[in-house]
Amino acid sequence: MHTHHDGTAAGSAATDPTSAPSAREWWEARYAERDGIWSGRVNAVLASVTWGLPVGRALDLGCGEGGDVVWLAEQGWDVTGIDLSVTALERGSRAAVAAGVEDRVAFVAADLARWDTAARFDLVTASFLQSWPVAIPRADILHRAAEFVAAGGHLLVTAHAAPPHDDLPPELLEYRFPSPVDDLAALQLDDRWDVLVAEVRPRTATTPEGDPHEVLDSVVLARLTRG
């Protein structure tokens, strides 16, 4: 679902609130615009943070077309990816097959505001889980994400901390980009957690036209020390 990697979700919501699309409908339409709206590459924060972690079970919340899911599986993780969009997940499934990691990957179409599982994961990640112009209950989703982490496991939240490019659609002018402090407040972590990283990191991204530009990522990484 998310705005991911070097892309951003653009478009206009219906002005009549009675006809405004749901988040699921909006993102399905967005993914239907063309075959592949993200790069398919792992995002840089996830790759750097997970380097050296013992592999185990991973959960990607708002996995989009599965770039991070496939990369984690290639590193040996067993990965579950959750997203609103069936279209995006079908692309993720094809990418997993193409990479030969389909046996370590499961994709689930679900609304993260309601999805639940008894499973616990060694890594839970939410990368650029931001939605505009249709809103999602992001803070609530992040708070619930902490419940899915196994003792000793890690929770990684990466977000656009500033506009990902200069050519913003009008609906983004009112969007409040989260800071690490905002995301820590949403997570509501208790004393069982060690916060390892809470910072804004600069990154060089590439526009759709191929031009490099600087962007800012909000990064929060925490470890659950006991269940």
Side-chain angles (χ1 to χ4, degrees), residues 3-8 37-39 41 128 160 164-165 203-208 213 215:
T3 66
H4 203 188
H5 309 335
D6 301 336
T8 184
I37 65 174
W38 311 129
S39 69
R41 298 185 299 272
F128 308 106
H160 294 297
H165 56 74
R203 170 172 57 90
T204 301
T206 306
T207 67
H213 66 111
V215 296

Side-chain angles (χ1 to χ4, degrees), residues 9-214:
S12 298
T15 55
D16 178 359
T18 62
S19 64
S22 68
R24 185 189 304 274
E25 292 167 337
W26 194 92
W27 280 98
E28 278 292 349
R30 171 80 167 114
Y31 281 110
E33 289 176 5
R34 64 180 188 272
D35 188 12
I37 65 174
W38 311 129
S39 69
R41 298 185 299 272
V42 64
N43 83 76
V45 170
L46 178 66
S48 66
V49 164
T50 57
W51 188 259
L53 289 182
V55 299
R57 302 180 70 188
L59 174 66
D60 187 359
L61 301 174
C63 66
E65 293 166 333
D68 290 349
V69 170
V70 171
W71 183 86
L72 284 167
E74 288 175 329
Q75 313 312 307
W77 294 80
D78 293 314
V79 195
T80 300
I82 314 293
D83 202 274
L84 280 173
S85 170
V86 173
T87 299
L89 296 179
E90 288 172 346
R91 292 171 186 168
S93 294
R94 292 196 296 270
V97 170
V101 295
E102 66 270 22
D103 291 345
R104 289 199 292 272
V105 165
F107 287 104
V108 180
D111 182 345
L112 289 173
R114 292 187 288 271
W115 180 80
D116 199 6
T117 179
R120 295 297 178 261
F121 299 84
D122 304 296
L123 173 66
V124 175
T125 180
S127 300
F128 308 106
L129 183 65
Q130 294 161 274
S131 180
W132 54 72
V134 289
I136 58 172
R138 184 175 180 273
D140 293 341
I141 291 170
L142 293 183
H143 179 55
R144 295 182 68 244
E147 301 172 2
F148 303 137
V149 181
H154 291 78
L155 173 63
L156 173 64
V157 179
T158 307
H160 294 297
H165 56 74
D166 294 331
D167 184 22
L168 293 181
E171 63 269 12
L172 263 188
L173 298 179
E174 301 298 321
Y175 183 82
R176 185 172 183 273
F177 289 87
S179 69
V181 171
D182 294 329
D183 282 349
L184 281 172
L187 291 169
Q188 302 179 47
L189 303 178
D190 59 28
D191 62 4
R192 298 173 301 153
W193 292 85
D194 283 342
V195 177
L196 306 178
V197 178
E199 65 187 23
V200 174
R201 294 183 180 179
R203 170 172 57 90
T204 301
T206 306
T207 67
E209 293 74 33
D211 300 320
H213 66 111
E214 292 298 312

